[in-house]
Amino acid sequence: MKYRQRPLYIRLILLMTGLSLFALAVVLTVNASLGLSPWDIFHQGLASKLNITIGQASIGVGLIIILINFIFREKIGIGTVLNTFYIGFLMDRIFQSGVIPVAHDLPTGLLMLFLGLTIVGIASYFYLSAGLGAGPRDGLMVILTKKTGINVAYVRNMIEITATIFGFFLGGTLGIGTVISALTVGFFIRFFFKVFHFDINELEHDYLDAEGIRNIFGKNTEVIYEEKEVGE
């Protein structure tokens, strides 16, 4: 609950910082040339077949998943929408700038890969602590878990394996980096949650529904009432 009581501008700063770091992390892992994470394999493969950028593929896939989430009444937040558009947009800008070099040897590639995974861990804290809604792909995971009754861990694995297979056959890069990412990204996220003293169990998101909008833009009447009593 404490995360939801922060001023909106603070939450938006946290959100945009996290999304910006995610975009940077994706570019680092792509340019590491060692193989991508499952969704990025799919985005890269789709981009190669449609002759579009990886960022545009990411946005397109995100929009389709948001539509699926909406049809199945999964909640959507400000963070869900910005996740869909902003990460893909910023990824393309970073790629186009050439500020992140492409690795041409294994040591450089590994360094870039682990730097990218480190940034993912930090980005996850900023993005989630904003409490403004999960990304569309996480929403899809929730829907499939509810509909199938299968354990969420198995559903997550099923989604990522499916994305990897389709991405690979579309031309996405599968390699040792894919395996490293799959095995270690959870460690990086957990590590930085501890560094920032972030308890995921205390987190509640505000979505674009009546309650969420009241909490985001309205005043916390309980806090006002308590302050009035103290003043009296």
Side-chain angles (χ1 to χ4, degrees), residues 10 18 24 41-42 51 55 58 62 76 78 86 98 101 104 112 116 125 133 139 143 145-146 152 177 188 205 216 221:
I10 294 293
L24 176 61
I41 292 174
F42 182 60
N51 196 28
S58 175
I76 296 170
I78 295 173
Y86 181 71
H104 296 291
M112 291 175 65
Y125 160 71
I143 289 172
T145 300
K146 290 178 180 177
V152 65
F188 283 97
H205 285 288
I216 293 170
T221 54

Side-chain angles (χ1 to χ4, degrees), residues 102-156:
V102 177
H104 296 291
D105 57 77
L106 182 60
T108 303
L110 287 172
L111 178 62
M112 291 175 65
L113 176 63
F114 280 104
L115 179 57
L117 291 171
T118 299
I119 293 174
V120 166
I122 299 171
S124 297
Y125 160 71
F126 282 108
Y127 167 57
L128 288 172
S129 66
L132 291 172
R137 292 156 186 81
D138 290 329
L140 178 63
M141 176 185 67
V142 171
I143 289 172
L144 290 176
T145 300
K146 290 178 180 177
K147 294 295 181 183
T148 63
I150 300 173
N151 183 283
V152 65
Y154 293 120
V155 171
R156 180 64 176 256

Side-chain angles (χ1 to χ4, degrees), residues 6 17 22 53 60 75 78 80 83 110 128 136 156 175 182 216:
R6 290 168 167 167
T17 299
F22 270 125
T53 66
K75 292 182 178 180
I78 295 173
T80 312
N83 178 299
L110 287 172
L128 288 172
R156 180 64 176 256
I216 293 170

Side-chain angles (χ1 to χ4, degrees), residues 51 60 98 121 134 170 173:
N51 196 28
L170 287 171
T173 306

Side-chain angles (χ1 to χ4, degrees), residues 46-199:
L46 195 62
S48 67
K49 292 300 181 184
L50 299 179
N51 196 28
I52 57 178
T53 66
I54 294 180
Q56 289 169 344
S58 175
I59 292 171
V61 170
L63 284 172
I64 292 171
I65 296 175
I66 281 183
L67 179 60
I68 294 171
N69 293 351
F70 179 77
I71 291 172
F72 286 96
R73 299 183 179 180
E74 184 61 31
K75 292 182 178 180
I76 296 170
I78 295 173
T80 312
V81 177
L82 288 176
N83 178 299
T84 300
F85 289 98
Y86 181 71
I87 292 180
F89 169 80
L90 186 58
M91 280 167 49
D92 284 344
R93 303 291 82 74
I94 298 174
F95 277 125
Q96 291 167 2
S97 72
V99 68
I100 305 296
V102 177
H104 296 291
D105 57 77
L106 182 60
T108 303
L110 287 172
L111 178 62
M112 291 175 65
L113 176 63
F114 280 104
L115 179 57
L117 291 171
T118 299
I119 293 174
V120 166
I122 299 171
S124 297
Y125 160 71
F126 282 108
Y127 167 57
L128 288 172
S129 66
L132 291 172
R137 292 156 186 81
D138 290 329
L140 178 63
M141 176 185 67
V142 171
I143 289 172
L144 290 176
T145 300
K146 290 178 180 177
K147 294 295 181 183
T148 63
I150 300 173
N151 183 283
V152 65
Y154 293 120
V155 171
R156 180 64 176 256
N157 289 339
M158 178 183 68
I159 291 173
E160 300 212 345
I161 289 170
T162 302
T164 300
I165 293 172
F166 275 98
F168 176 72
F169 283 107
L170 287 171
T173 306
L174 177 67
I176 186 62
T178 307
V179 178
I180 292 173
S181 296
L183 294 177
T184 64
V185 67
F187 165 78
F188 283 97
I189 293 172
R190 286 195 302 272
F191 174 77
F192 283 104
F193 279 7
K194 289 183 180 179
V195 168
F196 291 112
H197 305 289
F198 178 57
D199 187 354

